[in-house]
Amino acid sequence: MNLRVNIAGVELKNPIMTASGTFGSGKDFVDYVDLNRIGCVVVKGVAKTPWPGNQPPRIAEAYGGILNAVGLQNPGVDAFCQDDIPFLRGFDTKIAVNIAGRTIDEYVEVAERLASADVDLLELNISCPNVKEGGVAFGVDPAMAEAVTRAVKAVAGQPLIVKLSPNVTDIAAIARAVEAGGADAVSLINTLLGARIDVHRRAFVLSTKQGGLSGPAIKPVAVRMVYQVARAVHLPIIGMGGIMTGEDAAEFLMAGATAVAVGTANLFKPTATMDILDELITFMQTTGVEDVNTLIGVVK
Amino acid sequence: MNLRVNIAGVELKNPIMTASGTFGSGKDFVDYVDLNRIGCVVVKGVAKTPWPGNQPPRIAEAYGGILNAVGLQNPGVDAFCQDDIPFLRGFDTKIAVNIAGRTIDEYVEVAERLASADVDLLELNISCPNVKEGGVAFGVDPAMAEAVTRAVKAVAGQPLIVKLSPNVTDIAAIARAVEAGGADAVSLINTLLGARIDVHRRAFVLSTKQGGLSGPAIKPVAVRMVYQVARAVHLPIIGMGGIMTGEDAAEFLMAGATAVAVGTANLFKPTATMDILDELITFMQTTGVEDVNTLIGVVK
Amino acid sequence: MCQESKTGRTHCTILSNEPLAEGVRELIFESPAMAASARPGQFVSVYCRHQGQLLPRPISICEIDRDNGRLHLVYACRGKGTREFADYRPGERVDVMGPLGNGFPLGAAGETNLIIGGGVGTPPLVELCKQLPGRKVVAVSFRSDPYLIERLALYGEVLVATRDGSVGVRGNAMKIVEDRGLTGTIFACGPTPMLRAVQAYAARRELPAYLSLEERMGCGFGCCVGCVTKIRDDGEAGFSYRKVCKDGPVFAAEEVIFS
Amino acid sequence: MCQESKTGRTHCTILSNEPLAEGVRELIFESPAMAASARPGQFVSVYCRHQGQLLPRPISICEIDRDNGRLHLVYACRGKGTREFADYRPGERVDVMGPLGNGFPLGAAGETNLIIGGGVGTPPLVELCKQLPGRKVVAVSFRSDPYLIERLALYGEVLVATRDGSVGVRGNAMKIVEDRGLTGTIFACGPTPMLRAVQAYAARRELPAYLSLEERMGCGFGCCVGCVTKIRDDGEAGFSYRKVCKDGPVFAAEEVIFS
Ligand SMILES: Cc1cc2nc3c(=O)[nH]c(=O)nc-3n(C[C@H](O)[C@H](O)[C@H](O)COP(=O)(O)OP(=O)(O)OC[C@H]3O[C@@H](n4cnc5c(N)ncnc54)[C@H](O)[C@@H]3O)c2cc1C
Ligand SMILES: Cc1cc2nc3c(=O)[nH]c(=O)nc-3n(C[C@H](O)[C@H](O)[C@H](O)COP(=O)(O)OP(=O)(O)OC[C@H]3O[C@@H](n4cnc5c(N)ncnc54)[C@H](O)[C@@H]3O)c2cc1C
Ligand SMILES: Cc1cc2nc3c(=O)[nH]c(=O)nc-3n(C[C@H](O)[C@H](O)[C@H](O)COP(=O)(O)O)c2cc1C
Ligand SMILES: Cc1cc2nc3c(=O)[nH]c(=O)nc-3n(C[C@H](O)[C@H](O)[C@H](O)COP(=O)(O)O)c2cc1C
Ligand code: FES
Ligand code: FES
């Protein structure tokens, strides 16, 4: 059985990736997961300098999902290079770095700093709903999305994935724009903007009022968008949004994704990535699929 | 305790409405629900002439929700006036008619036909994702939204609610446009576009591939949008999206809605409207709220 | 005991949930009210405990035990919901709503009736046979492991087919019917290809026939217009979409348009 | 028996789930592995059966019964999750992950220790008192109906306050502490206003103090950076956000910034 897939020239041993921000840099998972079995670890968003993130509460429960307002708390690219790359290089898995920024220049600086670093892929996060300048403006405007992609691509030392926001009228238009800007792949979806009010306290649960909705609740939106984007661009797609089982992973592959990322499921089931990989293998065995690549985009 | 609320001059005995398309015209509910206790029954979408609707399968299960692709099957405005208005007028509840159309002219014709009919409110559906011409183009473009609102308002014999689509980058912009076009109220949200693939059959579950996601899974998106729209326009808001309990209803009121509509919950719990009303009353009692109007927009 | 009320959706106590065949179980639950009003060919909506799965699972009523206030369901463990049901134990509760739909038209019974079933289309035929007047010939088919045969045999001759030929004729129930040229008023429930064959056979032989259809449901009681099927009419299009849950699940064969 | 594995999240068998006071229950479950490694002040994540509610409910370990391989939790029935827990019966299973967090620094024990608790901050103090060396004075407060008092009394003098004055002093535990001018190394767990008062008292009296904090959690084991609290540091901002679940839940009082 072949599980290997190829994202913009980088071969993953299997299509299971982690979704940025839900797996740290993997350190919290070594007790539960064999990191060597993960196709690619996508680390949490990294900015030029340390970001404090938002005030608590940062987490609210939603039906079949969670709302988060972490706000890209991170120790900055230097600390990342020093602490996390050596740790992850101790495992046989690919590394993708999710890049956060407030301006084109900030994104570019992080990419420049990483150009010589020992990582395999960059993921440009132009879709974080949780910081005012977390790229969300870039993610909802095709021209800005193209501009930031072009600028980062010019300095990138690794293939560039651009992560798309679902909070748009026409995600295909954004995908075409980042393709035009030189993206090597796209990943989607980031979280849906949502809010929750505590009716007893008469206040929003999250300190930021609104946050990002993730988890199984958003899966149908994600599958629809992956399908739309697969029809709009010629780039490999990393699909995510509520993946909980191997069949969920297969659903994204069939909709047109080349690989999938497991996000919120990691939070309440630390073995989620392994379980999903095992279930995907079982699904392929019982349905007679020899090569995972034959599932990609098979549903028209 | 006062439960009465006012939507554009129409007084509802309480803020519990039904969401269009999930309650028919109420006939299927008489065994389970006392229609006299519902603030306002919003009937399923009505077009100029009968619409057949989409091929089955029209329903797919999603985590914490459902996907539907009914496609506005309806018997046309004449049959509606003949069969449903007399039935509903047998109860002490307000009637709102959800209007479907493919062109501005079609919307206008239905509104004209209803101008002399014995109904209390019109709800202009410019946001049905399930028919190519089901108004979705009107719902995602501010200029078109304003134009169709203006045209229908010119002939409307009743206050006009415009129902907004959540599948947009900036719902506040659409709300401002329909306010400019003369809308008397807005209702939101309609369903989120989503899709589901049956991985065993390797095909979309719905005949139309994508459909509309509703149910508790979408509630955080709906609450966020109600809050945004409440800050953008001066119109009364009818909030909906995944309301399952009285506290959910209170959450929408606190976010800025004047009334709420119960949708998908009706499907798997036919007493949902009554249960939610009872729970809202209990919530008001235990938290010492004398007038439901004091909850509206209380969270800033 | 069931908490009977106007809720429609009621907590019912499970009395038994035993396997009948590989992947097929019989669930017996208590509900005097449902048992009192149920008719053959009606169904109930069974709800999952898993609160991510909100839709009803429509399951035909297999037997109505009015005396004891019980309903019997027979279901195949297929997807997430029915696999969940398989774990229920006696004494536990399950949410059920029903009875729903119109059931078979008992008044249409002929002198001879041809009862045709396939797989999990078989269960509703048990109560049908119990209540249907006239002579009954029953032709039923299964993938491999037949069930409910003895119960059906109480009411008429039962002819069995299996896809793998392990029991009875190799093939499906319509092969038996065609090979023997059976006639009578037809009542059928089973997979769509079988029902299509029943429709063609009934038309060819000019036999009255009633088909119990399946469709994915949103509500199960008529409000969502989710579960439609094409029914012939005089309109421009030649058909209109009717609800399987409320207008059906049983339709006269000549009205049904399989597409 | 627990199905022990590296899953972290394990099905554990419930042995008992009895009320201790109005709206407060003690849940005892089996897990030799968790009992073997647990320390006072650590917590476990308890998961709901309702699959719409996916987040863990963090509950402190009240008692560790290593001999029998059991953990005791004491929880207040507040929201949807804890109200669901109240219905669990012995023999049923519950998903638990843990032990999580760092617990109280037993090595910091003084000759005299002042143990301060409020409401459902009290439970972890039982195992703390059991294991903490030195003399212990315990001051705890409740809304009205005290619980766990007898167990705490096994390890030291217990002073009780209630908000309504129905038992002991009227007010909260800090009123007792202040009124009596109690001193010692402080270990405290309770609502934020109380912890803020503990922090101020400890600073004024120059007492070492350790506070167990609460925050809403996404994962409970450190991966989501959801459960942060402000901890003083030398950086520009004067603080950084640290994780209650992994860096805490216990922090030295002088480090904590309540905002
Ligand atoms: C009127 C009627 C009577 C039925 N009677 C029986 C019976 O007596 N015994 C029996 O074993 N089965 C019966 N079925 C089929 C049964 O409803 C499905 O097998 C069952 O719903 C599958 O649910 P699941 O959770 O296992 O599958 P999932 O795939 O998890 O279900 C997902 C959704 O699709 C729906 N769905 C899936 N398959 C079908 C289907 N074939 N028909 C309708 N909805 C479906 C489910 O209800 C659910 O809403 C009947 C169907 C209908 C419409
Ligand atoms: C480290 C730690 C130890 C705790 N120990 C205990 C204990 O021993 N006994 C006890 O009764 N309670 C304890 N709590 C509080 C307990 O976690 C909450 O009361 C519980 O999570 C509420 O869940 P719910 O489903 O009833 O409320 P809901 O409002 O339905 O919960 C919704 C979400 O908010 C979270 N949440 C709500 N209130 C709190 C809170 N106060 N703290 C953290 N998260 C919250 C829930 O975990 C859940 O994710 C502890 C909290 C923490 C952080
Ligand atoms: C707690 C949390 C933190 C996240 N942080 C980031 C981040 O730093 N960068 C990013 O691009 N996406 C971030 N995301 C979004 C996820 O990577 C993913 O796109 C989204 O959660 C949908 O997938 P899921 O439903 O499987 O979680 C975060 C999500 C969560 C839940
Ligand atoms: C089966 C179904 C049919 C619907 N039909 C209509 C319709 O005819 N017109 C309309 O404006 N909205 C229609 N809707 C959308 C609902 O009115 C409502 O906006 C949406 O479902 C969100 O609310 P909920 O989550 O409570 O269902 C339909 C929804 C469902 C589930
Ligand atoms: S399932 Fe809703 S109308 Fe039939
Ligand atoms: S709850 Fe996720 S880091 Fe603490």
Side-chain angles (χ1 to χ4, degrees):
Chain A
M1 180 185 288
N2 178 44
L3 290 168
R4 286 185 303 278
V5 296
N6 190 300
I7 300 277
V10 177
E11 189 178 273
L12 315 189
K13 59 170 64 163
N14 65 55
I16 306 297
M17 305 173 65
T18 63
S20 178
T22 65
F23 206 76
S25 296
K27 287 178 187 160
D28 299 306
F29 287 84
V30 286
D31 289 343
Y32 310 112
V33 164
D34 178 1
L35 294 185
N36 296 300
R37 289 192 68 208
I38 293 181
C40 178
V41 171
V42 183
V43 302
K44 67 172 182 299
V46 172
K48 190 184 138 191
T49 52
W51 286 13
N54 292 323
Q55 282 211 304
R58 292 178 174 183
I59 300 280
E61 190 167 64
Y63 202 109
I66 73 171
L67 286 161
N68 92 80
V70 168
L72 292 170
Q73 174 173 345
N74 79 90
V77 63
D78 291 330
F80 169 77
C81 289
Q82 203 177 317
D83 298 340
D84 294 323
I85 299 178
F87 166 77
L88 281 168
R89 275 296 175 239
F91 300 90
D92 179 19
T93 183
K94 300 295 178 192
I95 306 173
V97 186
N98 183 272
I99 301 180
R102 280 173 285 233
T103 61
I104 292 189
D105 283 352
E106 285 189 10
Y107 283 116
V108 166
E109 280 185 64
V110 181
E112 271 175 341
R113 172 73 181 79
L114 290 168
S116 59
D118 185 13
V119 299
D120 301 295
L121 288 156
L122 303 183
E123 181 179 55
L124 190 62
N125 178 7
I126 57 166
S127 50
C128 179
N130 287 329
V131 275
K132 275 205 199 68
E133 308 89 348
V136 72
F138 295 106
V140 299
D141 181 278
M144 287 176 76
E146 181 174 340
V148 66
T149 303
R150 193 181 305 283
V152 172
K153 180 63 191 172
V155 302
Q158 295 85 9
L160 182 66
I161 307 162
V162 179
K163 184 157 180 184
L164 306 183
S165 167
N167 301 298
V168 295
T169 308
D170 184 3
I171 197 167
I174 311 283
R176 280 189 296 263
V178 306
E179 183 175 45
D184 299 299
V186 289
S187 57
L188 59 147
I189 58 175
N190 211 313
T191 51
L192 285 174
L193 272 173
R196 171 123 195 225
I197 289 170
D198 181 328
V199 292
H200 294 281
R201 293 195 306 109
R202 296 190 174 197
F204 286 100
V205 176
L206 296 176
S207 68
T208 49
K209 300 185 181 179
Q210 58 180 35
L213 179 66
S214 62
I218 71 169
K219 198 189 73 174
V221 175
V223 169
R224 183 261 295 185
M225 288 186 164
V226 165
Y227 181 77
Q228 279 183 307
V229 169
R231 252 126 219 90
V233 298
H234 298 279
L235 303 175
I237 295 170
I238 299 156
M240 73 193 89
I243 295 177
M244 302 269 280
T245 67
E247 294 199 358
D248 291 344
E251 191 174 349
F252 278 87
L253 298 174
M254 290 182 182
T258 296
V260 298
V262 178
T264 301
N266 290 306
L267 271 55
F268 45 83
K269 200 179 171 205
T271 55
T273 45
M274 294 298 89
D275 297 343
I276 289 168
L277 175 58
D278 289 339
E279 289 161 5
L280 179 63
I281 292 169
T282 304
F283 173 77
M284 288 173 62
Q285 282 166 343
T286 56
T287 57
V289 177
E290 268 302 312
D291 181 351
V292 76
N293 290 280
T294 64
L295 295 177
I296 300 169
V298 76
V299 171
K300 302 291 174 199
Chain B
M1 180 185 291
N2 177 45
L3 290 168
R4 287 185 303 279
V5 296
N6 190 299
I7 299 280
V10 177
E11 189 179 273
L12 315 190
K13 62 170 63 162
N14 65 56
I16 305 297
M17 304 174 65
T18 64
S20 178
T22 65
F23 207 74
S25 295
K27 288 179 187 160
D28 300 308
F29 287 84
V30 285
D31 289 343
Y32 310 112
V33 165
D34 178 2
L35 295 185
N36 296 301
R37 289 193 68 209
I38 293 181
C40 177
V41 172
V42 184
V43 303
K44 66 172 183 299
V46 172
K48 190 185 135 192
T49 53
W51 287 13
N54 292 322
Q55 283 210 302
R58 292 177 173 184
I59 300 280
E61 189 167 68
Y63 202 109
I66 74 168
L67 286 161
N68 91 81
V70 168
L72 292 171
Q73 174 173 343
N74 79 90
V77 66
D78 291 329
F80 169 77
C81 289
Q82 202 177 314
D83 299 340
D84 294 324
I85 298 178
F87 166 78
L88 280 169
R89 275 295 174 241
F91 300 91
D92 179 21
T93 183
K94 300 296 178 192
I95 306 174
V97 187
N98 183 271
I99 302 180
R102 278 173 288 234
T103 61
I104 292 189
D105 284 351
E106 286 190 7
Y107 283 115
V108 165
E109 280 185 63
V110 180
E112 271 174 342
R113 172 75 180 79
L114 290 168
S116 59
D118 184 15
V119 300
D120 302 295
L121 289 156
L122 304 183
E123 181 179 56
L124 189 64
N125 178 7
I126 57 165
S127 50
C128 179
N130 286 329
V131 274
K132 277 204 196 71
E133 307 88 350
V136 70
F138 295 106
V140 300
D141 182 278
M144 287 175 74
E146 181 175 340
V148 66
T149 304
R150 194 180 306 280
V152 172
K153 179 64 191 170
V155 302
Q158 295 84 9
L160 182 66
I161 308 162
V162 180
K163 184 156 178 186
L164 307 182
S165 166
N167 301 297
V168 295
T169 307
D170 184 2
I171 197 165
I174 311 283
R176 280 190 296 262
V178 306
E179 182 174 45
D184 300 298
V186 289
S187 59
L188 59 148
I189 59 175
N190 210 314
T191 53
L192 284 174
L193 271 173
R196 170 120 194 227
I197 289 170
D198 180 330
V199 293
H200 294 282
R201 294 194 307 108
R202 294 190 174 197
F204 286 100
V205 176
L206 296 176
S207 68
T208 48
K209 299 183 182 179
Q210 57 179 36
L213 180 66
S214 62
I218 71 170
K219 198 189 73 174
V221 175
V223 170
R224 182 261 295 183
M225 288 184 164
V226 165
Y227 181 76
Q228 278 182 308
V229 170
R231 253 127 220 88
V233 297
H234 299 280
L235 304 175
I237 295 171
I238 299 157
M240 75 192 88
I243 295 177
M244 303 269 280
T245 67
E247 295 199 359
D248 291 343
E251 192 175 348
F252 278 87
L253 298 174
M254 290 182 183
T258 296
V260 299
V262 178
T264 301
N266 290 305
L267 271 54
F268 46 82
K269 201 180 173 203
T271 55
T273 45
M274 293 299 91
D275 297 344
I276 290 167
L277 174 59
D278 290 337
E279 289 161 6
L280 178 63
I281 292 169
T282 305
F283 172 78
M284 287 173 62
Q285 281 166 343
T286 55
T287 57
V289 177
E290 267 304 313
D291 181 349
V292 75
N293 290 281
T294 63
L295 295 176
I296 299 170
V298 76
V299 170
K300 303 290 173 199
Chain C
M1 262 290 297
C2 247
Q3 293 168 0
E4 301 300 342
S5 73
K6 280 183 66 188
T7 63
R9 182 170 167 162
T10 40
H11 300 305
C12 296
T13 301
I14 294 165
L15 300 169
S16 136
N17 185 22
E18 293 294 317
L20 283 193
E22 174 70 29
V24 177
R25 288 178 170 260
E26 178 170 25
L27 181 93
I28 307 175
F29 66 93
E30 216 165 12
S31 174
M34 292 188 207
S37 69
R39 298 188 307 274
Q42 287 189 302
F43 67 96
V44 295
S45 282
V46 185
Y47 296 88
C48 299
R49 290 192 190 145
H50 190 299
Q51 294 291 322
Q53 296 155 209
L54 298 170
L55 290 182
R57 270 55 182 174
I59 306 286
S60 299
I61 296 168
C62 173
E63 293 198 69
I64 305 165
D65 179 352
R66 209 155 284 166
D67 294 345
N68 295 301
R70 296 171 180 183
L71 291 181
H72 295 233
L73 310 179
V74 171
Y75 64 96
C77 305
R78 283 197 178 140
K80 290 180 193 161
T82 51
R83 284 203 306 265
E84 182 196 294
F85 300 162
D87 289 334
Y88 294 177
R89 293 183 224 170
E92 293 180 359
R93 303 258 184 136
V94 59
D95 267 22
V96 183
M97 172 161 159
L100 299 166
N102 295 308
F104 290 106
L106 297 180
E111 249 171 64
T112 301
N113 301 288
L114 190 50
I115 315 290
I116 306 173
V120 288
T122 308
L125 304 180
V126 176
E127 188 66 30
L128 174 68
C129 285
K130 211 186 285 179
Q131 298 199 25
L132 194 74
R135 199 173 80 86
K136 279 149 289 208
V137 180
V138 183
V140 284
S141 49
F142 301 89
R143 199 162 301 185
S144 64
D145 196 4
Y147 45 88
L148 296 172
I149 303 300
E150 304 74 20
R151 297 194 212 175
L152 289 164
L154 297 173
Y155 312 104
E157 184 189 2
V158 180
L159 307 162
V160 179
T162 51
R163 196 194 287 176
D164 60 6
S166 58
V167 181
V169 175
R170 178 191 300 268
N172 80 18
M174 277 310 291
K175 181 154 186 345
I176 305 178
V177 173
E178 306 225 0
D179 287 355
R180 303 204 180 196
L182 299 175
T183 59
T185 300
I186 299 179
F187 297 86
C189 186
T192 302
M194 170 186 282
L195 296 183
R196 205 191 285 268
V198 171
Q199 186 189 48
Y201 184 83
R204 218 160 51 233
R205 300 274 186 142
E206 296 186 354
L207 302 171
Y210 299 92
L211 311 179
S212 180
L213 306 185
E214 277 192 10
E215 192 45 73
R216 277 164 191 266
M217 296 189 176
C219 66
F221 59 95
C223 77
C224 76
V225 208
C227 62
V228 295
T229 195
K230 280 187 186 169
I231 296 296
R232 217 174 290 283
D233 74 4
D234 306 332
E236 232 173 278
F239 72 88
S240 56
Y241 283 120
R242 302 286 296 280
K243 301 169 190 170
V244 168
C245 73
K246 189 140 188 173
D247 302 319
V250 181
F251 294 92
E254 70 269 17
E255 296 185 321
V256 175
I257 302 178
F258 290 109
S259 52
Chain D
M1 261 286 299
C2 247
Q3 293 168 359
E4 301 300 341
S5 72
K6 280 182 67 188
T7 62
R9 183 170 166 160
T10 40
H11 300 305
C12 296
T13 299
I14 295 166
L15 299 170
S16 133
N17 186 22
E18 294 294 317
L20 283 193
E22 173 71 28
V24 176
R25 288 178 169 262
E26 177 171 28
L27 181 92
I28 308 176
F29 66 94
E30 215 165 11
S31 176
M34 291 187 207
S37 70
R39 298 189 307 274
Q42 287 188 303
F43 67 95
V44 296
S45 281
V46 184
Y47 296 88
C48 299
R49 290 193 189 144
H50 190 299
Q51 293 292 320
Q53 296 155 211
L54 297 169
L55 290 182
R57 270 57 183 173
I59 305 286
S60 299
I61 296 170
C62 173
E63 290 198 72
I64 304 165
D65 179 352
R66 208 154 285 165
D67 294 344
N68 295 300
R70 297 169 181 185
L71 291 181
H72 295 233
L73 311 179
V74 171
Y75 64 96
C77 305
R78 282 197 180 142
K80 291 180 191 162
T82 51
R83 283 201 307 263
E84 181 196 294
F85 301 161
D87 288 333
Y88 295 176
R89 293 181 225 170
E92 293 179 359
R93 302 251 183 145
V94 59
D95 266 23
V96 183
M97 175 161 157
L100 299 166
N102 295 308
F104 290 107
L106 298 180
E111 247 171 70
T112 300
N113 301 288
L114 191 49
I115 315 288
I116 305 173
V120 288
T122 309
L125 305 179
V126 176
E127 188 65 32
L128 173 68
C129 285
K130 210 187 283 181
Q131 297 198 23
L132 193 75
R135 197 173 81 86
K136 279 150 291 209
V137 179
V138 183
V140 283
S141 50
F142 301 88
R143 198 162 302 184
S144 64
D145 195 5
Y147 45 88
L148 295 172
I149 303 301
E150 305 74 18
R151 296 195 215 175
L152 289 163
L154 298 174
Y155 312 105
E157 184 188 2
V158 181
L159 306 162
V160 179
T162 51
R163 199 195 287 179
D164 60 6
S166 58
V167 181
V169 175
R170 177 190 300 267
N172 79 21
M174 276 312 289
K175 178 150 189 347
I176 305 177
V177 172
E178 306 223 0
D179 287 355
R180 304 205 178 193
L182 298 175
T183 59
T185 302
I186 299 179
F187 297 87
C189 186
T192 302
M194 170 186 282
L195 295 183
R196 205 191 285 269
V198 172
Q199 186 188 47
Y201 184 85
R204 218 160 51 232
R205 300 276 186 138
E206 296 186 354
L207 302 172
Y210 300 91
L211 311 179
S212 181
L213 305 185
E214 277 192 12
E215 192 44 72
R216 277 164 191 266
M217 297 190 176
C219 65
F221 60 94
C223 77
C224 76
V225 206
C227 61
V228 296
T229 194
K230 280 189 184 166
I231 296 296
R232 219 175 286 285
D233 73 5
D234 305 333
E236 232 173 277
F239 72 89
S240 55
Y241 282 120
R242 303 287 296 281
K243 303 170 190 170
V244 169
C245 73
K246 190 140 186 172
D247 302 320
V250 181
F251 294 93
E254 71 269 20
E255 296 185 322
V256 175
I257 302 178
F258 290 107
S259 53

